[in-house]
């Protein structure tokens, strides 16, 4: 297990994660980061808005940034008139090519 930190950049500025969480690898940390962003966006919805201008950096205990996720990468948008059942999607968006 390795400790990963999730540094949040949003409309309020930078919120550095002082504690982090343990995950088995960078892919598991990425999944945790996606869940974290989705919880932030869900709270935004209860306030009547969705702000997709943020990002989250996944860092190791040594400070190495192993992933950066824009908020918009963490959700699937289903256009009006379309069905999610007809879409091919996974629970977690795929990693973009860098």
């Amino acid at each position: 297990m390795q400790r990963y930190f999730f540094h949040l950049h949003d409309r309020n500025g930078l919120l550095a994660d002082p504690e982090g969480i343990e995950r088995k690898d960078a892919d598991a940390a990425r999944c945790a980061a996606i869940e974290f962003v989705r919880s932030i966006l869900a709270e935004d919805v209860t306030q009547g808005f969705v702000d997709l201008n943020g990002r989250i950096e996944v860092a190791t205990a040594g400070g190495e940034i192993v992933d950066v996720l824009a908020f918009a990468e963490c959700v699937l948008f289903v256009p009006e008139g379309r069905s999610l059942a007809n879409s091919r999607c996974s629970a977690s968006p795929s990693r973009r090519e860098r």
Side-chain angles (χ1 to χ4, degrees):
M1 297 291 266
Q2 187 171 341
R3 186 162 295 272
Y4 292 91
F5 297 81
F6 303 102
H7 305 307
L8 181 67
H9 297 263
D10 68 5
R11 64 188 167 278
N12 298 313
L14 168 65
L15 179 60
D17 178 0
E19 297 177 17
I21 61 170
E22 289 189 352
R23 290 294 182 262
K24 68 177 183 167
D25 58 25
D27 286 334
R30 178 184 176 79
C31 289
I34 289 170
E35 290 175 11
F36 179 50
V37 168
R38 288 176 178 172
S39 71
I40 292 168
L41 295 175
E43 187 171 321
D44 282 355
V45 169
T46 66
Q47 301 297 314
F49 67 95
V50 176
D51 183 355
L52 297 174
N53 292 304
R55 72 180 189 280
I56 192 164
E57 295 175 345
V58 181
T60 64
E64 178 188 1
I65 304 296
V66 295
D67 210 339
V68 178
L69 291 162
F71 282 14
E73 291 180 85
C74 298
V75 293
L76 175 67
F77 294 94
V78 181
E80 186 175 347
R82 294 271 179 98
S83 171
L84 184 60
N86 294 334
S87 300
R88 294 189 63 187
C89 68
S90 61
S92 300
S94 61
R95 188 179 300 255
R96 290 189 311 183
E97 293 294 322
R98 294 179 199 255

